[in-house]
Amino acid sequence: SALLRIADFQEVLGEPTVALGKLRDLCFSGIPFDGGLRCLCWKILLNYLPLEKALWSSLLKKQRDLYSQFLKEMIIQPGIAKANLGVSREDVTLEDHPLNPNPDSRWNTYFKDNEVLLQIDKDVRRLYPDMAFFQRPTDYPCLLILDPQNEFETLRKRVEQTTLKSQTVARNRSGVTNVSSPLKTTPNSLSEYEVLPNGCEAHWEVVERILFIYAKLNPGIAYVQGMNEIVGPLYYTFATDPNSEWKEHAEADTFFCFTNLMAEIRDNFIKSLDDSQCGITYKMEKVYSTLKEKDVELYLKLQEQNIKPQFFAFRWLTLLLSQEFLLPDVIRIWDSLFADDKRFDFLLLVCCAMLTLIRDQLLEGDFTLNMRLLQDYPISDVHLILKKAKELQDSK
């Protein structure tokens, strides 16, 4: 049947204009990894690729060139400026001196960006620690940036220098150093990861660059913790595509798909929209009102124990369940979520399914026990969960 399913996908994707409805139906039940089908389907479902196949190659070229442009402006330019500063002090006008208090100064922006960068850096180094993938070098490091002719600063150097600088500052302020001793480094300290030799880049560094550029282009939201968990599965899927032509452009393609996905879910990350119809609070309430419809006994039990949806559903909804399951399972759930034409209505049903599947334990447990169940969800079989969610959907 697996071969038949692949044939079904190939048939739909073989048409000059892809029939979106048919494609959604197929993807909803899970996309085969074979032949790069998932990467292709996700790119269509996330509105990166148009339905007209004739437009694909020109669109991809245009978007990938645009991404190179972003790299040049946001990573390479500041890096060159920084490198040049070391070389020739005399031609730096006072106007753009690093100590210039003028808030419009490029340097001011540079230092502000560093704060965002350090937060991203901390988060991307921790991506899926149980998998070696993100620590491994990519086959397609960014040549624009790693060109050995360049002396300019890469994001990694920038992080290292900023970290060293802030440690020196901390030492000077207090007279004694308050940076923890080298023997007791924290798990997410720089030393824990072997730094790859020059000219190599780990996959997490690519993810870091995607998030940094996203933050620069979207100052209204910039970077919020958790975005790393959204970009991780997308990048992993594209960077493991069996087709090397697609794989080579995993970074640019991930960036645009991530941007499109964030346009749909960014309201979950913005606190100020909280009480609006599109905010996360509304969605969390919706999980409970749906549960009330489907299983009133369980709903009342959670109410009675004062287990609020924000205690667990906040993370489930905001991060599209990427923290609750192993990466391959998250990817399978995302096949269904991206295929849902009512975008993420199905996610509410998946959350309900997760609750009803452990209803017996929840009905017996006390507050502490139940919180533990919800914080560390006990069922790992996502097929069972999706099947249950589909039943809930059909029983409307």
Side-chain angles (χ1 to χ4, degrees), residues 84-96:
N84 290 347
L85 196 68
V87 186
S88 48
R89 290 282 348 182
E90 59 278 2
D91 48 313
V92 175
T93 58
L94 186 66
E95 186 39 51
D96 224 6

Side-chain angles (χ1 to χ4, degrees), residues 3 21 123 182 213 219 274 292 332 348:
L3 284 174
D123 294 344
I213 289 180
D274 241 347
K292 188 177 177 180
R332 168 61 194 93
L348 300 173

